[in-house]
Amino acid sequence: MVRPDEAEGEGESREKGKEKGRGADGRTGGRLPGDPVPGPVPDPGVGDPPMPVPSSPDGARRRALYGRRFVRALPVLLIVAAILYDVLTPRYFTAAPLYTAAPLVAAPVYSRRGTALTGAAVVVTVLCLQTTKGVIHYVDSLTELITIATVAGLAVLVNAFVRRTDEQLASAREIAEAAQRAVLPQPAERIGGFEIAACYEAAQADAFIGGDLYAVQDSARGVRLIVGDVRGKGMGAVAAVAVVIGAFREAAEQEATLEAVAQRLERALAREGTRREGLDAFEGFTTAVLAELPHGEGVLRIVNRGHPPPLLLHADGTVHPLQVREYALPLGMGELGVWPDRAEQAPFPGGATLLLYTDGLSEARDALGRFYDPQARLSGRVFRHPAELLDTLADDVRRHSGGGMTDDMALLAVRRH
């Protein structure tokens, strides 16, 4: 901005000043029998090491931390830069854009007091500099001062709005946490002589619950488990999760066989589907695997409804999937055909661990598009507790995908003594 008393005889300097101012898969569905299976990814320490991924969760967290620190320091940096600009340039130059930017940047990152102090510091600084330069009596200088003071006041109002929004988000986050605890409660570490651990990893940042589910229920016939994945996203999927888990807990205590439990879930989802609208009313379904661990028998039974097969990790580090001879349709698709549920039985020796998971684990991709293969990754490794297994697995899949998971992931591990 050019002061009135300097307009004449400064044409060349003004032009130089102008030049100086200008410089300043979605988600993919589960695989069906006969589909190609992705090639295994080598396990760290077994054979060749896996190829490095371009980024890591630790590196992303460090960059985010540095970014937050820079943003918090930015209002001070803007004020310092504005003062230097005013001091080092002719008096008809103005750093008003830098002064007005400082309180606006402070509004979303500082407290209300910090924002107000930033605005006051800017106004006092401009007032002192204009007085020192002897231009405070000019109309342009007064207009500049009023503009900066107005922006500083607006910044305080913006800060109040941001604080109120943050409080609303915090309240929504607390509600989401309560909903997760109600719908997906963390199972006890020991049930019926089995050590148990569960883990839920949401693909969306700050999300707590989605369409993946797990549940554990003790009964007179053994410990019964379910891990599943509801088609769809949002509140509709969460409602279906609540229906499945509620029906499972009731059926697991009352039904004599695992096949009967699956049929109860089928009927519950059929009833729930009549309340849905649009595409979900016709295409709503849930892939699930149900397991039964009889007390003291050293066996397990599996009913698979279109879900990735569980893995059995033996005490010597060997891993093999629990495949079924005949696949059944996912839950909620019974009207398309009748496939009777048949429970598959397998040995469950002492020291072995049963791992159930959703396709958020097996369909996580690395930078080259390769799927995560939990069987290959876990082969040859021994874990002291199911919680250690799940922690290691969650960290490994995050490294594999570079921290960019595209689907939710539910994990459930049970170890037999």
Side-chain angles (χ1 to χ4, degrees), residues 380-399:
R381 307 176 71 175
V382 178
F383 303 92
R384 294 171 297 178
H385 191 274
E388 180 185 354
L389 165 63
L390 298 192
D391 290 342
T392 302
L393 199 57
D395 290 341
D396 195 37
V397 73
R398 280 193 294 266
R399 284 193 298 269

Side-chain angles (χ1 to χ4, degrees), residues 9 21 43 119 173 190 196 232 256 274 279 290 297 309 345 368 381:
D43 177 54
R173 190 174 293 111
R190 188 182 297 272
I196 298 176
T274 61
L279 188 63
L290 294 89
E297 293 187 18
Q345 184 167 301
L368 301 178
R381 307 176 71 175

